[in-house]
């Protein structure tokens, strides 16, 4: 939508990584590996092929989605409002987190954020920065 109508778009509770000019900002659902009782890293999520979003395959693999919390949704909306009002500013730490996320995408064969213009909410990355490693 963002590219087609030149309108900023926020997607929350997303489970797919962007593969084109889809939206401006997004916040991913985390994925819990119930067998290991741990959240998957961003790289592990990006490498899920043929499983991600397919409920029966995910269940067979012991994976479940963890939806964004109300506070995460508020943070994402606030970030989008700042973007729309041209007030969104990134610190050096934020830029490093965006770079780490982009690196995880590219290593798993997904397009760079620089090519698809979609980027994760920094509020999401700050909260989940331990999963960028």
């Amino acid at each position: 939508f963002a590219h087609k109508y030149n309108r900023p778009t926020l997607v929350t509770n997303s489970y797919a990584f962007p593969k084109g000019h889809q939206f401006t900002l997004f916040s991913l659902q985390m994925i819990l590996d119930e067998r290991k009782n741990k959240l998957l890293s961003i790289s592990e999520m990006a490498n899920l092929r043929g499983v991600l979003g397919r409920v029966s395959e995910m269940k067979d693999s012991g994976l479940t989605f963890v939806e964004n919390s109300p506070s995460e949704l508020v943070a994402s909306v606030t970030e989008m409002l700042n973007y729309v009002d041209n007030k969104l500013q990134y610190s050096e730490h934020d830029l490093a987190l965006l770079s780490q996320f982009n690196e995880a995408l590219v290593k798993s064969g997904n397009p760079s954020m620089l090519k698809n213009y979609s980027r994760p909410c920094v509020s999401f990355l700050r909260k989940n920065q331990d999963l960028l490693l």
Side-chain angles (χ1 to χ4, degrees), residues 60-71:
D60 291 345
S61 298
L63 303 175
T64 59
F65 285 118
V66 179
E67 291 189 8
N68 298 140
S69 69
S71 62

Side-chain angles (χ1 to χ4, degrees), residues 3 6 14 18 34-35 42 49 58 77 90 95 108 115 123-124 131 133:
H3 72 286
N6 196 26
S14 177
E34 293 180 331
R35 294 176 184 162
I42 298 298
R49 301 230 190 323
M58 286 186 65
V77 169
Y90 294 125
L95 294 173
S108 65
K115 292 182 181 175
S123 55
F124 167 83
L131 300 176
L133 305 174

Side-chain angles (χ1 to χ4, degrees), residues 88-101:
L88 185 60
Q89 296 181 345
Y90 294 125
S91 69
E92 286 188 33
H93 179 67
D94 295 340
L95 294 173
L97 292 174
L98 286 165
S99 179
Q100 285 179 287
F101 182 87

Side-chain angles (χ1 to χ4, degrees), residues 89-130:
Q89 296 181 345
Y90 294 125
S91 69
E92 286 188 33
H93 179 67
D94 295 340
L95 294 173
L97 292 174
L98 286 165
S99 179
Q100 285 179 287
F101 182 87
N102 189 55
E103 188 176 316
L105 285 185
V106 172
K107 281 183 179 178
S108 65
N110 289 284
S112 168
M113 290 185 309
L114 301 174
K115 292 182 181 175
N116 65 31
Y117 302 102
S118 297
R119 62 182 172 261
C121 291
V122 172
S123 55
F124 167 83
L125 294 179
R126 285 182 198 134
K127 182 177 186 288
N128 297 292
Q129 60 188 311
D130 57 321

Side-chain angles (χ1 to χ4, degrees), residues 40-65:
L40 298 185
S41 70
I42 298 298
S43 293
E44 290 169 324
M45 289 171 53
N47 280 315
L48 290 175
R49 301 230 190 323
V51 174
L52 191 60
R54 296 186 173 146
V55 177
S56 62
E57 285 90 343
M58 286 186 65
K59 186 176 180 180
D60 291 345
S61 298
L63 303 175
T64 59
F65 285 118

